[in-house]
Amino acid sequence: MEEHYQSSHFNQFCPESRVSLAIGRSWSSSEFLAAQKVRSYAMHHIELLFQNKVDIILSPATPCTAPLMRDDVASHGESNLSETTALMKYMIHGNLTGIPGLVFPIAYDDETSLPISLQLQAAHWREDLLFRVARHSQDILRGGIAKPALYVDLNDILDVSWPLRGLIPRLAAALFGGEDCCHQGKDC
């Protein structure tokens, strides 16, 4: 394993990834197994939550809008653990348990024009429910959200020869405008 950390390939990772890999490298196998037990415990409890109590977990996507990037971040990267931890406050349990999530904007900050978003999370294999709730939420908000002063539509800047160009709008139309779908006999 040591040769991977000394290779030129390792140095091609961004600084944040190298820090994460170095932290992971310091864990023993018993610590890794203990972490997997905690993960299994959390997965069991989130499954019970979705089976017995809730269909969707709704939360802010982040506790604040994105912080402004300093000039040197593009060239040197950034590893600000306290800021990253704060921004990930509402998605940690989703990352730990592997449940699907979807984030969509509901407003834009007046000062920075950055999006203010909600996060939806659902049981495993219920992405269909996430898309339906997000669609209905956006239908409710459709007239109330103006695009910010600086707005870039990725479909407008993608290379025309890119094979997946236009796939996202077609996929969205199929998901939101098509027939109702069901998963494993459950109503969506």
Side-chain angles (χ1 to χ4, degrees), residues 137-158:
S137 299
Q138 286 185 325
D139 284 348
I140 292 168
L141 299 169
R142 191 169 306 277
I145 299 180
K147 291 179 183 171
L150 176 61
Y151 176 81
V152 177
D153 186 337
L154 292 179
N155 279 319
D156 293 340
I157 62 172
L158 291 175

Side-chain angles (χ1 to χ4, degrees), residues 150-173:
L150 176 61
Y151 176 81
V152 177
D153 186 337
L154 292 179
N155 279 319
D156 293 340
I157 62 172
L158 291 175
D159 182 354
V160 176
S161 64
W162 189 56
L164 299 179
R165 179 175 169 76
L167 176 64
I168 293 173
R170 288 195 311 271
L171 179 60

Side-chain angles (χ1 to χ4, degrees), residues 34-157:
Q36 293 307 307
K37 287 180 183 178
V38 170
R39 182 175 184 261
S40 295
Y41 178 81
M43 288 176 71
H44 172 72
H45 281 279
I46 200 84
E47 286 173 17
L48 290 176
L49 179 70
F50 284 120
Q51 287 174 3
N52 302 318
K53 305 212 185 239
V54 300
D55 295 317
I56 291 279
I57 297 172
L58 173 68
S59 68
T62 59
C64 59
T65 57
L68 296 176
M69 288 178 53
R70 294 188 321 266
D71 292 337
D72 63 343
V73 169
S75 60
H76 301 304
E78 182 169 8
S79 184
N80 184 334
L81 184 59
S82 61
E83 193 172 84
T84 301
T85 302
L87 288 171
M88 295 192 56
K89 178 179 183 176
Y90 298 109
M91 60 187 77
I92 290 172
H93 71 276
N95 288 346
L96 178 66
T97 60
I99 59 173
L102 187 144
V103 173
F104 62 96
I106 58 167
Y108 293 93
D109 183 84
D110 291 335
E111 293 178 26
T112 64
S113 296
L114 293 170
I116 300 168
S117 301
L118 285 179
Q119 172 180 252
L120 303 170
Q121 293 177 313
H124 290 105
W125 308 110
R126 289 309 314 263
E127 290 86 349
D128 59 306
L129 186 58
L130 295 175
F131 281 113
R132 293 184 85 186
V133 171
R135 175 186 178 236
H136 291 294
S137 299
Q138 286 185 325
D139 284 348
I140 292 168
L141 299 169
R142 191 169 306 277
I145 299 180
K147 291 179 183 171
L150 176 61
Y151 176 81
V152 177
D153 186 337
L154 292 179
N155 279 319
D156 293 340
I157 62 172

